[in-house]
Amino acid sequence: MANATNGRNIAIVTGSALGLGYELTRGLIERGWLVAGIDFNAERQSELSAELSSEQYRAFVGDVSDEAFVKDSVAKIAALGHIDLLINNAGQPSFKVPAAYEGADIDRCLKGLKGMMLWSVAVLRADHESDLKIANVMSTAATRGNANESVYCAAKWGEKGYTQSLKAAYKGTSVKIVGVYPGGIDTAFYRDSHDYVSEAKQHTFMNAGELADVVLFNLLSEANLTVSDILIERNYV
């Protein structure tokens, strides 16, 4: 991968402010990367900007599914140098019984799918479709149907289809596509769904920092190979 500003590689992480996105961001920075973090949480982005230097972190505040925001942000990031890695991590949950879903739930879940497409296209164009790794963080919900996650699963299955299509399109090129499928993570992702996932059960889920380390170990390997799918399940207790 090419060197970025002051010898640092450049990565874009969507949903970078909290949870797994933050842990991925932190891990990349610890490994010497410059991270362009994308998130709608302005307060948290301000905290991170104050905590980290501009050579470690550049904060962008906006909706990952807003095409104008995506294009403007990628243009600013590309001006810093070649973008080496895009991690599409942003997404929003919606856990309900099938008959309880409404249009707003569908729109919320589909933001992640739309964002994944928009960021991928914009970065591919900026990098002239070369020397780039795109990691799409989805969920084990993209591999099976879950009773109280019908709309969420539909969005994740769409993300998996997009990921597989990118793999086919760029097979044999310097663009590498990786699908990441983590199981339950102990973060605030489930905070509004404790009727579905109790706090006691949630705390048996995977640690976000440990999960990020596993993902980055595979993504950043210097070996002459690509781990194209990363399926990570928690240890059941």
Side-chain angles (χ1 to χ4, degrees), residues 8-9 19 21 33 53 56 64 73 77 83 89 99 103 108 114 117 123 138 152 196 227 230:
R8 287 177 166 82
N9 295 98
W33 286 61
S53 76
Q56 296 174 310
V64 295
S73 299
I77 298 164
I83 300 167
N89 169 75
R108 182 165 57 251
K114 183 179 180 182
M117 295 175 176
V123 173
M138 293 164 275
Y152 182 68
Y196 170 47
V227 178
I230 306 172

Side-chain angles (χ1 to χ4, degrees), residues 160-173 175-181 227-230:
K160 181 179 181 180
Y162 182 67
T163 300
Q164 295 298 99
S165 295
L166 286 182
K167 287 181 185 181
Y170 290 100
K171 183 177 180 180
T173 75
V175 175
K176 305 303 179 185
I177 311 297
V178 181
V180 183
Y181 305 90
V227 178
S228 62
D229 287 295
I230 306 172

